[in-house]
Amino acid sequence: MSKAGIVFITIVWAIAGIVAAYLLVQFFSLRIEPTFSNLLGAANLPKSSIDAYQAEGASNVVVASELKIDDARPYIVDNFLRKHNSPMYGSGKDFVFTADKYGIDWKLLPAIAFQESNLGKKIPQGSYNAFGWAVYTGKNSGVGFESWSHAIEIVAKGIKEKYISHGLTTPEAIMTRYTPNSNGSWAFAVRFAMAEMVQ
């Protein structure tokens, strides 16, 4: 390659680097109010999902207002749910808000839903019970909930009170009470799902 060609390529790369640095500075200097609309826009959700969020009413606005705009966790959960074609898609903010409320790992409940119901795809019709919650030996179904957010709230509270508060803080320890007949595969699947969310 000629000297002129090398100089040209060097100049192009230098300009590209300056432009990239400028864009990064602009991106990180943005100050966006943590409104419900901004959270939806930042998640790059399709219009149908945004309409569905807004149609659910004011309760979502309260949840969204508690989350910081730079908190990526709700989007990570929603990406996980979307990747697996989950009917729970759109519940990322509920998972994270509720996990923070009860002081549990934000990845735990989505991971349990992954193991128990393929993220809500294999549940008793209309039950919203993606967690296998209160399914006892010999029974085919457990508790029925009003919505995904209702299920997330009740199960998170139950995990905190019946497991975490009693020292059962890892998937392996939770498994001993949640599904005592498991040969270890339950905890393995939960850990696998938790790891997938942060890869």
Side-chain angles (χ1 to χ4, degrees), residues 59 84 95-96 112 117 134 151 163 173 186 194-195:
S59 63
H84 293 284
F95 275 113
V96 172
I112 290 174
S117 68
Y163 297 85
W186 187 91
M194 292 175 77

Side-chain angles (χ1 to χ4, degrees), residues 59-119:
S59 63
N60 283 323
V61 178
V62 174
V63 171
S65 69
E66 298 293 333
L67 297 173
K68 295 179 181 175
I69 193 67
D70 59 352
D71 189 347
R73 296 174 302 160
Y75 312 125
I76 292 169
V77 174
D78 270 334
N79 284 336
F80 175 71
L81 297 171
R82 180 173 50 195
K83 175 182 175 183
H84 293 284
N85 300 310
S86 170
M88 301 179 83
Y89 173 68
S91 299
K93 63 181 178 12
D94 292 319
F95 275 113
V96 172
F97 174 81
T98 310
D100 287 352
K101 177 179 175 180
Y102 291 108
I104 63 178
D105 189 315
W106 59 275
K107 302 177 296 297
L108 181 61
L109 260 61
I112 290 174
F114 175 84
Q115 165 59 17
E116 289 289 333
S117 68
N118 199 5
L119 292 169

Side-chain angles (χ1 to χ4, degrees), residues 39 70 96 101 112 122 131 156 158 174 181:
L39 282 169
D70 59 352
V96 172
K101 177 179 175 180
I112 290 174
K122 296 179 180 178
F131 307 98
I174 291 168
N181 295 328

Side-chain angles (χ1 to χ4, degrees), residues 130-185:
F131 307 98
W133 193 247
V135 177
Y136 303 109
T137 304
K139 302 274 186 180
N140 291 326
S141 64
V143 172
F145 299 103
E146 298 169 9
S147 64
W148 296 125
S149 60
H150 180 233
I152 292 166
E153 168 69 25
I154 297 301
V155 174
K157 184 173 189 261
I159 291 286
K160 173 65 174 182
E161 292 175 353
K162 298 177 181 180
Y163 297 85
I164 306 293
S165 294
H166 294 280
L168 306 174
T169 58
T170 65
E172 291 77 14
I174 291 168
M175 177 182 67
T176 63
R177 191 166 176 189
Y178 202 98
T179 175
N181 295 328
S182 175
N183 61 2
S185 60

